[in-house]
Every structure is written in structure tokens, then in C-alpha cells.
Amino acid sequence: MAFSIRTRLTFWYVTLLTVSLLAFGAAFSYSLAKTFMDHTDSQISSVANMMVHTVIKPSGQLFLPRDFDIILERFFGIRTAGNYIQVLDPHGQIVAKSSNLETFSMPLVGATYHAAIGGATTFEIVRNVGRYPVRVVTKPIILKEKGLVAIVQVGSSLEGMDEIFHSLAYIFILAIIASVLISGFIGWALARKALKPVAEITKTARRIGAESLNERINITVPQDEIGMLASTINEMMERLEKSFKQIRQFTADASHELKTPLTILKGEMEIALRSKDNVEYMKEALNSSLEEIDRMNDIVRNLLDLAKMDVEKGAVPKEPVDLEKVLSDRYEQLKKVALDSGIHMAILRSKPLIVSGDAVRIGQLLSNLIDNAIKYTHRGGAVELSLDSDGGSAVFMVRDTGVGISKEDLPYIFDRFYRVDKARSREVGGAGLGLSICKEIAESHGGSLEVDSAHGQGSTFTARLPLAAQTA
Ligand SMILES: Nc1ncnc2c1ncn2[C@@H]1O[C@H](COP(=O)(O)OP(=O)(O)OP(=O)(O)O)[C@@H](O)[C@H]1O
Ligand SMILES: [Mg+2]
């Protein structure tokens, strides 16, 4: 069965407390009992020693005083009750005892008797003398010339100790129960207070769905462990919300971009259908339809490229790519486009550089940048390309004298579907995906893509790619 953290915390807390209180009680009682017993032992053994001198005359004769109570009084003061004296002959038969032992006597068990014969003094606790246990010392009297002449037994009731222990046990048990109850209650309440934020986190996390990603956990103490957990979850929510928004935006934009050419396509088809036998009309409509299909084709291809790169993330093929060759190929391909647009395009600098990666993607990166430079530069303008190395990187630069990008637009131009001038982009056939693809390509190759531009003053795009080991 799974218990809540709160129950487990309280349980362990209470158990530990109980165990430590019991251990303390046991240790305390043990040392108290020992002190008490040591005290009793020293008392009865000094009485026994005195007795030895009392019952043996200087001549070595055994002398038994008539009244032991006087001796008891002398040694124990008025506390004679519960203290006993008994003298036995060498055979273990009682020959004299204090008057409070009238009806019973202190027993002499075999082992003790044997020890006495051997000359040893024994301390033991006997239980059948009176209501309370009695601590008894058994001491033999051995004379050099006569051997064992008598055995002296002095007993002292442990009544006091028994009573103390009873009341002590009573107090201990009550104190343990009370402190366990109180601390258990306080522990339970404290655990509840400490774990309250966790309950809060659970509640909020339950509420969060795709539609309520803006929910956040209310953090009361941000510095403690739970506060940190909550703020980590909040940060995660922030990122999730952002990605969700981006995905939504992306889907909306993609649908919109595809819908426009489709609408145009539909219009063209209707015109073609209505034109009946007019071949010229039909041709025009078909040509225009082809253009829209090309446009859709471009968008879908770009979208597929982006999706592929998202999936491949970080797993780019590592073939050696001759950048100089890629640049000259792309230059040859786009030269005519530049010429048709009345733009002067030239490679200012180039040198053999090898990077490792995907030749097709790197070619795509270069043509997208060159294509943009041509697209967004007016007739009569210039586009300059250069390829150089800087430290461990190949640096490809495209500079144009075109329309430039304003400060407000600069932060967004790498976003998917972002276009500064939608009307112009549509005219030149852009969907706003080229630069985001370029950035993905540069970054997936461990490089970067940067822009430097000002409105009306042309732009410079700089792509850096790490050089392959052999040319670095
Ligand atoms: N060299 C440039 N000069 C001025 N503006 C540019 C330049 N390159 C990009 N831009 C601006 O940044 C926007 C985003 O460029 P991007 O290449 O992503 O899209 P696009 O060229 O419009 O469309 P696509 O590349 O998908 O065909 C462009 O619409 C344009 O406004
Ligand atoms: Mg572009």
C-alpha cells in the first residue's frame, strides 16, 4: 500500500522520536539502578564486615548477641524495617537472626553456600522475603586455625528502588505518550505546510492542457527546493507555450501560403473553362496556372526541407564539401537571373576551403542568400560574393546594394514565413522560408548566419561554417 509522503514523514518522525525516548529512558534507568545497587551493596557489605567483628570474640569463639535489632539500628538507623541480619553455622543452619525475620528467613542456595565454603562473598537478589526483592550479601567467617566458623548474611530490601522505578516508569510512559502525540500532531501539521506547494503544483499541472498553457504555478518561497522545482516547471511551461504558439502560427501561415495560389489556380481554371474555344485565352490561363503550381511546389519543397531538418536535428552527413566549387556552381546557375534583373554580380574573393557536411544543403544555403540579394536589389544595383577563412571557419559573405532591412524587421527575418514587404515578396515569388532554412543549415553544421543591414542601404549576410580538420 502506498502512503502519502506526509504520512511517511510523520510516521518516521514519530517512530524515531519514540525509539530515542525509549533508549534514553532505558539508559537512564540502567544507570540509576546501577548507582542504587552499588550504594546498597557497599552498605550491606560494610554491615557484614562489622558483623564479622561482632560475632567473633578475640579468642576466636563465636558470640551471638541476643538482640540483633540493636545492631540493625546501629547500622541502618531507624530504617530497620526491610533490613535483615542472619547468622548460619558452617552447615548452613540458621543460628541467629534479627527479629523482623521471625516468620521467614533469607535463603541460602547451594551455589552461594559452596562459594561461602570456598571463602567467597556473594551478592544476590532474593525474592521470597517479604513483598519486595531483597539484596543479600553472604559472607563466610573463616579463621586460620578453625576454618569456616559461621556465615553472615545481611539483606536490604529494594523497596525504595522498586518504588522509584515504578513511578519513574509511569512518568516515562506518560511523558513518551504525551510527547509522541504532541510532536506527531505538530509534525503532521508541519509536513502539511511544507508539502502544500507540492499539492499546489499538482493542482496546477492537472489544470494545464493544450488550451491553458498560460497557467503558472504560484511560488511563495522561491529559494527552497520546492520553489525551485516550481520555477523550473514554470520555465518549462514558458518554453512549451512558446513552441505551441510557434507551431500554431506555422500551421496557420503554411495553410495561408498554400491557399493563395490555390485560389488563384481555381480562378484561372474557371476562366479557362468559360473561354470555350478561345485557345489564346486558355493558353494564358494554363501558363498562369503553371506559375501558381510552381509557387506551391516551391513552398511545399521548402516546408518539407524544414520538416526534414527538424527531424534530422544534429545528424548531418559528414562528407568533405569543397566550398569554392559549390560557390562557383551556384554563381554560374544564378548569373543569368542577375543579368536578367539588370544587376551586376561578381565573386570578389574565393579560395579553396573544405568544410564537412552536406553538399546539397550548403549549396542551398548559398543560393538562398544569393537569390535574396538579387531579388531585393533594384535594377542597376550590385551583388558581391566572397569566400574567405577566418580562424577555424569558412566565411561566406553576400553583400548587395538593395532595399535593405529596417531595424524593426531585422530580429524577425529568420522566422518562418516572415517577409518585410509581403506585396513585393509575392511579386518576386517568396514565401518567407528561405532565410529560416539558411539559418537551420548553418546551425546544423555548427556554424552561424548573421545579417548587417539598414533600410535603403543594402544588406550583408555572413555565413560561417567550421572548416574540416585537414584544412583548419
Ligand atoms: N538581401 C536582402 N535585402 C533586403 N531584404 C531581404 C534580403 N534578404 C531577405 N530579406 C527580407 O527578409 C525576408 C525573409 O527572407 P526569406 O528569404 O526568408 O524569404 P523570401 O525571400 O521572401 O521567400 P523565399 O526565400 O521563401 O522564397 C524577405 O521577405 C525580405 O523582406
Ligand atoms: Mg528568400
Side-chain angles (χ1 to χ4, degrees), residues 2 9-10 14 54 59 68 73 82 114-115 138 142 185 231 240 249 434:
L9 270 180
T10 316
V14 165
T54 312
S59 60
F68 275 132
E73 256 172 49
H114 283 296
T138 305
I142 295 172
F185 183 74
S231 63
L240 270 180
Q249 186 64 44

Side-chain angles (χ1 to χ4, degrees), residues 196-235:
K196 202 169 161 241
V198 177
E200 176 92 6
I201 291 174
T202 315
K203 228 166 69 193
T204 314
R206 275 211 188 108
R207 269 204 316 266
I208 295 169
E211 294 311 315
S212 54
L213 283 169
N214 56 340
E215 289 262 4
R216 293 291 178 272
I217 298 158
N218 195 8
I219 305 169
T220 35
V221 190
Q223 298 85 6
D224 69 5
E225 290 86 340
I226 293 171
M228 283 196 287
L229 171 71
S231 63
T232 310
I233 293 178
N234 277 349
E235 281 160 27

Side-chain angles (χ1 to χ4, degrees), residues 302 368-369 371-373 375-376 400 402-405 413 415 418-421 425 429-436 453 459 461:
N302 281 339
N368 277 356
L369 292 179
D371 175 63
N372 278 353
K375 266 194 324 197
Y376 301 107
D400 64 52
V403 297
I405 304 159
I413 57 160
D415 290 355
Y418 190 84
R419 288 164 304 191
V420 173
D421 181 351
S425 281
L433 292 172
L435 282 182
S436 50
S453 181
S459 323
F461 283 84

